[in-house]
Amino acid sequence: QVRLVESGGGAVQAGGSLRLSCVASARTGYMAWFRQAPGKEREGVASIYTSDSDAYYADSVKGRFAISLDEAKITLYLQMNNLKPEDTGMYYCAARERPYTSFSRVSRLQEDWYSDWGQGTEVTVSS
């Protein structure tokens, strides 16, 4: 099991930026960011394959968010630009080993595909 610790959340105004960080205790196959708004289900935001940094984004954040990985530090980042009030929520880091069976690309943003989770960092965007 991989231990994940997020940081970097905070309160910003609409149009602002934040960068979230997630430090992992060990290297893994896929890592991702999820978020959960109050009263809503957790949703996938962005995913990255650690071997080649292939990224996959939810439509709602394409062009505004960027996921990246510092392999030496085993740290995952989420750069969030042009933030909107609807981006408000708790942001979670997730990870899993590389699967050895075929899978659909959309699986990378599905909550039950990941085995390891952080405690979350809160993001609040005001209008």
Side-chain angles (χ1 to χ4, degrees):
Q1 189 172 7
V2 177
R3 183 169 178 262
L4 304 167
V5 180
E6 304 97 331
S7 62
V12 295
Q13 290 190 325
S17 298
L18 281 173
R19 188 176 82 153
L20 306 183
S21 299
C22 170
V23 179
S25 61
R27 184 163 178 173
T28 186
Y30 285 84
M31 298 185 76
W33 288 99
F34 284 73
R35 67 184 180 190
Q36 187 168 21
K40 295 188 176 181
E41 293 186 353
R42 192 149 54 180
E43 62 173 350
V45 174
S47 169
I48 191 167
Y49 182 37
T50 63
S51 290
D52 63 9
S53 294
D54 177 62
Y56 181 57
Y57 296 94
D59 289 342
S60 59
V61 305
K62 279 182 184 176
R64 299 190 299 122
F65 290 11
I67 189 171
S68 62
L69 176 71
D70 183 325
E71 292 190 51
K73 297 179 181 178
I74 321 180
T75 300
L76 182 72
Y77 299 101
L78 185 68
Q79 178 66 44
M80 305 186 295
N81 299 324
N82 190 22
L83 283 160
K84 304 176 181 180
E86 52 263 43
D87 294 319
T88 293
M90 187 70 79
Y91 282 70
Y92 299 90
C93 178
R96 66 158 293 152
E97 290 299 318
R98 183 177 67 88
Y100 292 94
T101 57
S102 61
F103 59 94
S104 63
R105 192 169 176 83
V106 296
S107 297
R108 294 172 58 176
L109 294 182
Q110 293 177 342
E111 183 177 1
D112 58 4
W113 201 63
Y114 292 87
S115 56
D116 303 307
W117 292 85
Q119 295 300 306
T121 184
E122 192 160 7
V123 172
T124 303
V125 184
S126 58
S127 57

